[in-house]
Each structure stands twice: as structure tokens, then as C-alpha cells.
Amino acid sequence: MSTPQLNDRSFGRITGLMHEAVGLSFTRSKKALVSARLTNRVQQLGLTGFEDYADLLEGADDGGEFQMAVDLLTTNETYFFREPAHFALLQAELQRTRPQKLAVWSAASSFGDEAYSTAMLLADLQAQGTLGADWSILGTDISERVLQSAVQGIYPAERLREVSPQRLKRYCLRGEAESEGFVQVRESLRERVRFGQLNLCAPIDNLGPFDVIFLRNVLIYFDPPTKSAVVDRVLSQLRPGGLLFLGTAEGRVPCSTPLTVLAPSAYRKGNER
């Protein structure tokens, strides 16, 4: 079977649907990326080309293929304690304020690396008496597939390369035999994190309020107006004075919610009048 070629018409149909349905934005410069991410899928389905794939995505009964396309187009490399300066800032903030309750939202949680990294940090602070026992973490993502993986909490050991040996011992189990090379987050920590599917481009009602929100490495998929709308929508769930972390490569996103810069891509929500 010859390799299907993504022409401009098919690219426009597929990316237009992605933007309309879930806010994903792919400029012409991303055409090669879209082709690379979807070509194998078109071949697996036995379709003649991308026009047929666009027909499938637009159909009333796509058999779950639209969700599959979203998964393929948005899955990022991720690992534990990515962008460590954010975790250091969060630790310093909690050591300063010593809260008894804390609610954290990992708003683009992908496979759960970020949520479980945060859980390790909070569990350590609780053990030190810096943080009360009433803390919780919510991880959300648009991809059902990555969320199912996150609940299991099983990762290639390489993904935990930034986790200290002490934390690995406290919070993880190393695989043996056929599971060698993999690590599972201990159940005691997995119980502190819950996951759910959520579209950041749709209305968000009564999800918070949260004290800390991570919204990292997802805004790259949105055009400027959608980015601003998503940030304001997410910030509506953050308490006044709460912390927001964006991806350091994404820069500050214009939004109508007052923010104070604490560090690169780290902000405090302004107090409401």
C-alpha cells in the first residue's frame, strides 16, 4: 500500500474540524506534523487517503476515531518534575504559608507525570509538618487514552529520571521480570490523585476553587484568541492569591484576569476587589 499524501484540502478539513470541536489550531507550517502523526492511522484503517479519513471524522458515527485523532495530534513527551523551578517555587510558597488545606489542578495532565510529581512533593511536605493532611490533586485532559494510563500510574523508568532516589523508594515500586524497566506509583500516592476528562475550550462549571493550577505545555495547540479564552476560563477556577504555572516555552498569554509575575511562567492571581 502506498503512503497517503496529505493535500491542502484534506489538511484544511481535518484541522478545521479540530479547531471547531476542541479548539486545536494547526497552521500551514504544521502540515508535515499532522501528516506524520496521522499517516499510520490512515493506513491501519485501510483507507485510500486523507480525504476518506476526513469523511470518517466528520461522520455522525466515527467509532471513536475523532478522539483517536485528538490523541495522536496532541500527545507530548512528558516526564516527572519537568520544569523543576516551578516545583521549587511551589515548595517555597507552601513552606512560607504552611496551609492546612490545598487543592491542586493539573489542567493538561497527559499521562499523569505532572500530577504525581506534585503529589510526591505534597506528601513530603505533609510528612515534614509543613502541609496539612487535607490536600488533593485533580488531573484532567481531553484524551481518554492518556487518562486511562495515568490512573494505572505505570511508567518507563526513564520518565522518572528527575526523581530523587529517596522519593523513588518512598513512592514507587520497581518492576521485575517482564516488568523490568518500568515503575509504578504506589497505591497510597495514587489514591491522592483523581483524573477526569475535560475540554479546556468548553465551559468549566464548579470544578474549583483551586489553590494551585498547572496549565503547562498545552497552550501551544491553540491560536491566540483561544489561548486567552482558555487562560481566563481556567483562572476562573483559581482562588484569589492562588498560583498559576504555564509552560516556560509558552510565554505570558494575554488575559483579562489580573496576574502578578512571580518567576518565568509562574503567576499569582490578583485579589478580587
Side-chain angles (χ1 to χ4, degrees):
M1 180 182 294
S2 61
T3 302
Q5 300 299 310
L6 180 61
N7 60 33
D8 289 344
R9 172 181 163 81
S10 299
F11 174 76
R13 289 178 66 193
I14 293 170
T15 58
L17 181 62
M18 290 291 155
H19 187 271
E20 179 183 1
V22 292
L24 300 181
S25 179
F26 296 96
T27 62
R28 288 289 299 275
S29 65
K30 299 293 186 182
K31 184 178 176 182
L33 181 147
V34 172
S35 178
R37 294 282 182 94
L38 297 181
T39 292
N40 286 344
R41 187 60 184 164
V42 172
Q43 293 177 318
Q44 288 170 0
L45 294 170
L47 301 175
T48 58
F50 282 99
E51 279 294 288
D52 287 347
Y53 192 64
D55 289 340
L56 176 61
L57 296 180
E58 292 175 348
D61 183 11
D62 69 346
E65 191 57 35
F66 178 81
Q67 181 65 62
M68 175 62 74
V70 170
D71 290 351
L72 292 171
L73 291 172
T74 59
T75 300
N76 268 334
E77 186 223 1
T78 184
Y79 52 91
F80 279 60
F81 290 98
R82 184 178 183 179
E83 302 183 53
H86 286 168
F87 293 99
L89 190 155
L90 175 58
Q91 178 173 337
E93 176 76 6
L94 297 178
Q95 288 174 332
R96 180 181 69 83
T97 58
R98 305 178 70 87
Q100 291 304 299
K101 296 178 62 176
L102 192 76
V104 179
W105 179 19
S106 174
S109 61
S110 188
F111 290 95
D113 307 54
E114 179 179 83
Y116 287 129
S117 299
T118 308
M120 290 180 183
L121 173 60
L122 299 188
D124 278 353
L125 293 177
Q126 179 189 341
Q128 296 165 11
T130 300
L131 175 66
D134 188 2
W135 58 267
S136 63
I137 299 172
L138 171 66
T140 64
D141 201 278
I142 196 170
S143 169
E144 184 178 359
R145 180 176 63 89
V146 302
L147 291 170
Q148 290 173 347
S149 178
V151 170
Q152 297 299 315
I154 300 174
Y155 302 93
E158 168 64 15
R159 295 260 286 277
L160 289 88
R161 58 188 179 271
E162 301 295 333
V163 180
S164 69
Q166 295 81 7
R167 280 179 172 155
L168 281 173
K169 185 175 182 180
R170 280 196 295 272
Y171 301 123
C172 299
L173 298 169
R174 290 190 177 275
E176 299 178 350
E178 67 274 8
S179 297
E180 187 175 355
F182 288 86
V183 171
Q184 183 171 31
V185 177
R186 290 182 183 271
E187 184 177 6
S188 57
L189 199 69
R190 298 201 313 271
E191 289 176 343
R192 302 302 297 262
V193 184
R194 58 191 177 97
F195 293 96
Q197 191 174 28
L198 185 139
N199 179 0
L200 293 171
C201 292
I204 301 173
D205 298 318
N206 303 321
L207 195 63
F210 296 97
D211 303 289
V212 180
I213 296 178
F214 289 91
L215 181 66
R216 305 193 301 177
N217 306 306
V218 67
L219 296 175
I220 55 172
Y221 294 111
F222 303 135
D223 59 24
T226 306
K227 287 180 183 180
S228 297
V230 166
V231 171
D232 278 322
R233 189 176 296 118
V234 167
L235 283 170
S236 72
Q237 305 300 305
L238 183 65
R239 298 182 192 276
L243 302 183
L244 171 71
F245 296 101
L246 303 181
T248 53
E250 295 172 309
R252 181 162 185 173
V253 175
C255 63
S256 61
T257 308
L259 295 173
T260 300
V261 179
L262 301 178
S265 299
Y267 309 91
R268 188 185 307 280
K269 182 178 178 180
N271 290 325
E272 296 178 350
R273 294 184 182 276

